[in-house]
Amino acid sequence: MDPTPDVEAEAARTLATIADEVSQCRACPRLVEWRERVAREKRAAYADQEYWGRGVPGWGDPLASVAVVGLAPAAHGANRTGRMFCGDRSGEWLYRALWRAGFASQPETTSRDDDMVLSDVWITSPVHCAPPDNKPTIVERDTCVGFLSRELAALPRLSVVVALGGFGFSVLSRLYDVRPRPRFGHGVEVAVCRDAASPGPGSTDAGSPRPILLGCYHVSQQNTFTGRLTEDMLDATFARARHLAGLTPHD
């Protein structure tokens, strides 16, 4: 049964509240110092742009059946644009793939204010601030994971979560209290028990549905430049996500 308009409106309100909290959060001093220093100093190529320089909220369709969970915003990507995976090579790969899979209205996004529309997908990460060397600490991860938990719980139709990389996969396995802990791999699927007794660390809703976890190599340049992750592999991942979510195949 499709959610009613009231359910959609409530999901949108909840996600907007979380987004506002994320953008104002200053809980992790190291991340706050780094994100703001990067925003002040800037990269030469973006010297004329105003950086976002705050926590980056998740975004997408409040009625998403599929969520995509990465690692953290890139210093000169999402930390600049204010939109997850927007503004760097990794995002170029991701959004092209989402467009080919029927989740995105266009193959690229360059600003949080452009015309990109996402359908049936929500994009977020376990850590919402850009970390130095792209490596958040365990404390930073655990401080931020509550936002991720609340986002996923607010999506009334969520049935599949695509984890881009081992970091996100590990966080999600803990969040849903998957036991034994599964080993990350590209294409790994984990059907999380829906009647699990515990929602896992950071979760706020013991009764929320547990989706299928789907592992995918991260769209980092390290993976895409070396061929460890190809566009065909990424396309197959999102085609599989559509199938698992019960969505119509996209030609």
Side-chain angles (χ1 to χ4, degrees), residues 99-102 242 248-251:
W99 175 67
R100 291 192 300 267
R242 290 192 73 90
T248 303
H250 183 74
D251 294 332

Side-chain angles (χ1 to χ4, degrees), residues 4-91:
T4 65
D6 287 345
V7 170
E8 180 178 4
E10 178 60 28
R13 282 193 296 269
T14 300
L15 292 164
T17 296
I18 297 168
D20 186 59
E21 292 177 19
V22 166
S23 68
Q24 296 185 51
C25 184
R26 302 182 67 84
C28 300
R30 188 182 78 113
L31 298 187
V32 171
E33 191 280 330
W34 175 250
R35 77 191 190 194
E36 293 181 353
R37 174 149 59 95
V38 169
R40 287 193 308 271
E41 297 177 354
K42 305 182 181 181
R43 179 173 285 173
Y46 310 122
D48 61 341
Q49 297 184 20
E50 182 177 352
Y51 275 54
W52 176 258
R54 292 177 274 164
V56 180
W59 83 290
D61 184 352
L63 294 183
S65 300
V66 177
V68 177
V69 176
L71 192 162
H76 299 282
N79 186 56
R80 172 173 58 88
T81 65
R83 171 173 283 179
M84 283 288 176
F85 281 101
C86 174
D88 59 23
R89 293 290 181 87
S90 297

Side-chain angles (χ1 to χ4, degrees), residues 30-31 127 131 135-142 167:
R30 188 182 78 113
L31 298 187
V127 177
K135 294 179 180 179
T137 66
I138 292 175
V139 172
E140 290 162 352
R141 177 201 68 188
D142 291 347
F167 184 91

Side-chain angles (χ1 to χ4, degrees), residues 178 188-194 210-214:
V178 180
V188 167
E189 296 179 18
V190 180
V192 182
C193 180
R194 289 179 180 270
R210 270 65 169 179
I212 296 172
L213 305 185
L214 179 57

Side-chain angles (χ1 to χ4, degrees), residues 131-156:
D133 300 319
N134 208 33
K135 294 179 180 179
T137 66
I138 292 175
V139 172
E140 290 162 352
R141 177 201 68 188
D142 291 347
T143 299
C144 201
V145 75
F147 289 129
L148 173 65
S149 174
R150 290 166 58 199
E151 284 180 278
L152 299 181
L155 299 170

